[in-house]
Amino acid sequence: MKRAFLVGVFDGRGSYDKTAKFIALDYNNDAIRDIVANVLNDLGIEANINSKATARVRRDSTSAPRKKQIRIKHIEFLLNIGFISPTRFNSATSNLPSHYDLMNSSDILPSLKYISSNQDTLF
């Protein structure tokens, strides 16, 4: 249920930052941040919560200020959460290393797409 919640939140409002290779979720309400952060923590998913004003300053002072963000490394996101949206999934997997397979699962949510490693680990 927690994974399905995160799929809905990030599929609806998340975006792929191809420069930094993060899945980012803008937020403006600290209660939302806390709920999402707690669910991510419950699932053992590490997130970067960027809420400090100094971290959100733009170089161009005439630009609108950046919103606060919850960011997850895109590989960790794709391994543990995934997307339903084909557009979001295709964007986040466009330059995926070859040792990952694209997966579909209707067991968790209809049309859920995620990745799985096709390499054996040495541990």
Side-chain angles (χ1 to χ4, degrees), residues 16 21-23 72-79 92 96:
Y16 174 54
K21 298 198 179 199
F22 280 102
I23 304 298
I72 303 168
K73 291 181 182 176
H74 87 293
I75 295 293
E76 184 172 12
F77 179 89
L78 293 167
L79 284 167
L96 198 64

Side-chain angles (χ1 to χ4, degrees), residues 83 89 100-105 111-117:
F83 284 117
F89 184 74
Y100 292 103
D101 292 324
L102 306 182
M103 309 294 291
N104 290 295
S105 175
S111 303
L112 179 64
K113 292 167 272 315
Y114 62 98
I115 63 172
S116 177
S117 176

Side-chain angles (χ1 to χ4, degrees), residues 18-123:
K18 65 182 175 187
T19 304
K21 298 198 179 199
F22 280 102
I23 304 298
L25 176 72
D26 290 348
Y27 71 92
N28 57 9
N29 180 312
D30 291 346
I32 298 295
R33 177 204 59 210
D34 293 345
I35 291 167
V36 173
N38 286 335
V39 173
L40 289 167
N41 188 52
D42 288 351
L43 296 177
I45 298 170
E46 188 175 328
N48 173 322
I49 299 177
N50 196 344
S51 59
K52 296 186 179 175
T54 56
R56 306 306 302 148
V57 174
R58 292 189 186 261
R59 289 182 187 160
D60 181 356
S61 62
T62 61
S63 297
R66 291 182 179 149
K67 292 192 177 190
K68 300 173 185 178
Q69 287 186 329
I70 297 173
R71 302 179 337 152
I72 303 168
K73 291 181 182 176
H74 87 293
I75 295 293
E76 184 172 12
F77 179 89
L78 293 167
L79 284 167
N80 295 295
I81 301 172
F83 284 117
I84 292 175
S85 164
T87 302
R88 291 191 193 283
F89 184 74
N90 291 341
S91 174
T93 58
S94 62
N95 292 315
L96 198 64
S98 63
H99 60 274
Y100 292 103
D101 292 324
L102 306 182
M103 309 294 291
N104 290 295
S105 175
S106 293
D107 296 341
I108 299 166
L109 286 169
S111 303
L112 179 64
K113 292 167 272 315
Y114 62 98
I115 63 172
S116 177
S117 176
N118 60 28
Q119 280 187 336
D120 294 330
T121 59
L122 300 175
F123 310 112

